[in-house]
Amino acid sequence: GGSALGGGGARCTKTYAGGHRNSKFCIFSAFAVADPRRQSIVTGSEDGGVYVYDLQRRDVRQVLRAHKDAVLAVAAHDNRELLASGGMTEDKTVRFWVPGARSSYR
């Protein structure tokens, strides 16, 4: 037996690193796959940024900066190119991001 997540042959298949900071808090990630040309993994960071990683290449595609504290919550809409991010105590905001004219989120 063994669950799919806890042993029994489970293994990590991809790692996304080299951008976001995560040493103190539990920071969640989300798949942003509404546009097949821009599939991404999105995660918050303790440096106040929202990091958008290319799903296949695993490199940082963009860093969204607007929060004044750690970003612990991120979400991506299932069908639309829309991201949400939430900042901690010094920030207390939820921000929404959509792609701009040059395919970057703003």
Side-chain angles (χ1 to χ4, degrees):
S3 73
L5 297 177
R11 63 185 176 87
C12 179
T13 59
K14 286 189 179 182
T15 300
Y16 298 81
H20 68 286
R21 283 194 353 231
N22 181 213
S23 62
K24 295 188 263 185
F25 302 105
C26 179
I27 297 178
F28 294 94
S29 300
F31 287 94
V33 294
D35 182 345
R37 299 166 297 159
R38 193 176 19 248
Q39 294 184 335
S40 306
I41 297 285
V42 181
T43 187
S45 177
E46 292 170 2
D47 66 4
V50 177
Y51 286 75
V52 181
Y53 290 89
D54 183 280
L55 182 62
Q56 298 304 321
R57 292 192 325 258
R58 295 182 269 186
D59 58 349
V60 176
R61 175 179 284 154
Q62 186 177 3
V63 181
L64 308 172
R65 300 248 181 232
H67 292 283
K68 298 175 186 159
D69 203 348
V71 177
L72 302 185
V74 295
H77 193 280
D78 290 340
N79 304 25
R80 299 181 189 268
E81 287 192 279
L82 176 65
L83 305 177
S85 59
M88 256 184 78
T89 309
E90 298 299 317
D91 186 75
K92 296 181 186 173
T93 63
V94 174
R95 299 192 181 268
F96 293 91
W97 309 87
V98 295
R102 294 183 295 154
S103 299
S104 294
Y105 285 93
R106 55 180 170 86

